[in-house]
């Protein structure tokens, strides 16, 4: 039997980080190597497993990866948190699964630069269902591209009240997938006033924030007479957490490069 995969989790005290810690602890083929969070976190020094509610891990929440023996990093933090752990990964030649969304263009460039020297799995959603929905969306866009009367594409995402970025990284990726096939260049973020008749050249994006919703996306193709809706709904955060662990495992030993979850899942 091969040695367990040693995983460091960045953002380990957060909503997602705790589920990743729990997932790693439940995985017989993995072990928690480090649990990182921000310098200002009130959780520094606490046991990561106890914090996640799954029993003592023997790994304390700390600010930096330091000299921890580690095979791969999983990041569910903030754009700044990602930038800082990314430079540690490059220095130590460690693969990373990047889940954090809401990155600026320059931060995305920094991820691309890192991927020149280490394997990076970069996915706005590590959920299997979401990544299958992305394939279905590309198929629908291709099929409806030339439909008589045209198809209006609207993307609605729903997330918990604590989410800081909008629209979700996943909704933006759905929009890019549609644009790359159908050619709409304008992303319309909500509507108000009298915007007038809807042009085909736009994709509408709508971000709903409510309660503790762990993430839902609907992609509507509205035609004259009928609507096709592709919908995917998360019920727990474990689909993201388990997907990120699978991605970290997949990345170990790969050549440097920017990879997607579709490659991890064999969908590409
Ligand atoms: N790709 C995917 O499948 C998914 C991505 N996400 C994304 O993951 C990110 C985190 O989401 P949540 O866990 O809900 O947020 P959260 O706010 O609960 O957790 C973020 C954690 O990062 C920590 N943090 C802040 N600055 C840091 C730094 N400099 N270094 C290390 N840690 C730092 C915070 O203290 C907090 O514990 C968001 O960008 C979210 O959109 C969330 C779910 C799924
Ligand atoms: O913040 C979240 O919760 C989520 N964020 C990701 C995104 O922005 O797409 C993925 C998932 O939908 C949950």
């Amino acid at each position: 039997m091969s040695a367990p995969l040693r995983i460091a989790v960045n953002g380990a005290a957060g909503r997602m980080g705790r589920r990743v810690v729990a997932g790693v602890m439940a995985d017989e083929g993995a072990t928690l190597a480090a649990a990182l969070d921000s310098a200002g976190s009130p959780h520094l020094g606490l046991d990561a497993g106890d914090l996640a509610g799954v029993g003592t891990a023997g790994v304390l929440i700390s600010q930096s990866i330091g000299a921890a023996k580690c095979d791969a990093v999983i990041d569910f933090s903030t754009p700044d948190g990602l930038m800082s752990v990314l430079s540690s990964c490059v220095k130590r030649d460690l693969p990373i699964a990047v889940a954090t969304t809401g990155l600026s263009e320059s931060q995305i460039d920094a991820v691309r630069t890192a991927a020149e020297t280490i394997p990076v799995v970069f996915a706005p959603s590590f959920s299997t269902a979401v990544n299958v929905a992305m394939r279905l969306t590309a198929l629908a866009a291709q099929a409806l591209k030339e439909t008589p009367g045209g198809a209006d594409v609207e993307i609605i995402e729903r997330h918990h009240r604590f989410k800081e970025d909008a629209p979700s990284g996943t909704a933006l990726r759905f929009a890019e997938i549609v644009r790359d096939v159908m050619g709409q260049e304008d992303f319309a973020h909500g509507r108000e006033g009298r915007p007038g008749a809807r042009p085909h050249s736009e994709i509408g994006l709508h971000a709903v924030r409510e309660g503790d919703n762990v993430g839902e996306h609907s992609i509507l193709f509205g035609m004259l007479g009928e609507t096709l809706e592709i919908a995917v709904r998360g019920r727990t955060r474990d689909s993201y957490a388990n997907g990120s662990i699978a991605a970290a495992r997949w990345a170990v030993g790969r050549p440097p490069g920017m990879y997607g979850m579709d490659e991890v899942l064999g969908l590409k």
Side-chain angles (χ1 to χ4, degrees):
M1 214 173 88
S2 54
L5 187 73
R6 297 166 299 185
I7 296 180
V9 180
N10 195 41
R15 282 175 290 273
M16 276 307 309
R18 294 181 197 203
R19 294 316 304 155
V20 179
V21 166
V24 170
M25 287 176 67
D27 187 330
E28 286 185 355
T31 184
L32 187 66
L36 316 172
D37 212 279
S38 72
S41 169
H43 301 108
L44 291 182
L46 299 182
D47 183 274
D50 289 338
L51 186 63
V54 291
T56 304
V59 175
L60 304 184
I61 305 274
S62 63
Q63 299 177 42
S64 97
I65 195 163
K69 289 192 169 58
C70 175
D71 301 306
V73 173
I74 296 175
D75 174 75
F76 282 90
S77 63
T78 60
D80 287 345
L82 167 63
M83 290 302 109
S84 126
V85 82
L86 197 59
S87 65
S88 304
C89 289
V90 169
K91 274 189 209 126
R92 291 193 45 185
D93 200 17
L94 289 172
I96 181 167
V98 175
T100 298
T101 57
L103 307 183
S104 65
E105 278 305 319
S106 66
Q107 288 165 331
I108 294 172
D109 283 345
V111 177
R112 283 200 194 98
T113 303
E116 290 169 11
T117 52
I118 55 168
V120 176
V121 184
F122 187 52
S125 177
F126 280 100
S127 136
T128 298
V130 167
N131 282 276
V132 172
M134 287 176 176
R135 298 292 290 177
L136 297 175
T137 298
L139 180 70
Q142 191 61 47
L144 300 175
K145 189 178 172 182
E146 307 291 346
T147 196
D152 304 319
V153 181
E154 299 280 315
I155 297 170
I156 304 164
E157 56 99 333
R158 299 179 179 85
H159 282 87
H160 51 95
R161 66 171 70 140
F162 309 102
K163 184 162 177 59
E164 294 189 1
D165 55 318
S168 69
T170 306
L172 282 170
R173 180 63 58 82
F174 274 117
E176 289 161 4
I177 289 168
V178 171
R179 178 201 58 201
D180 290 349
V181 177
M182 298 178 84
Q184 305 95 326
E185 284 300 334
D186 305 330
F187 291 2
H189 296 277
R191 294 190 186 85
E192 63 176 357
R194 285 176 60 82
R198 182 200 196 290
H200 286 309
S201 60
E202 71 185 25
I203 296 174
L205 288 123
H206 310 278
V208 178
R209 295 288 172 265
E210 48 107 2
D212 57 0
N213 193 322
V214 303
E216 299 181 33
H217 292 86
S218 292
I219 300 86
L220 279 68
F221 294 82
M223 294 158 281
L224 300 178
E226 57 186 357
T227 297
L228 169 68
E229 180 168 357
I230 295 170
V232 54
R233 299 187 182 91
R235 284 196 296 275
T236 77
R237 292 190 162 85
D238 290 354
S239 54
Y240 312 124
N242 292 334
S244 72
I245 296 167
R249 181 172 277 124
W250 180 92
V252 173
R254 302 258 161 204
M258 187 91 137
Y259 301 100
M261 193 57 188
D262 51 353
E263 290 166 275
V264 176
L265 293 170
L267 298 172
K268 199 164 175 177

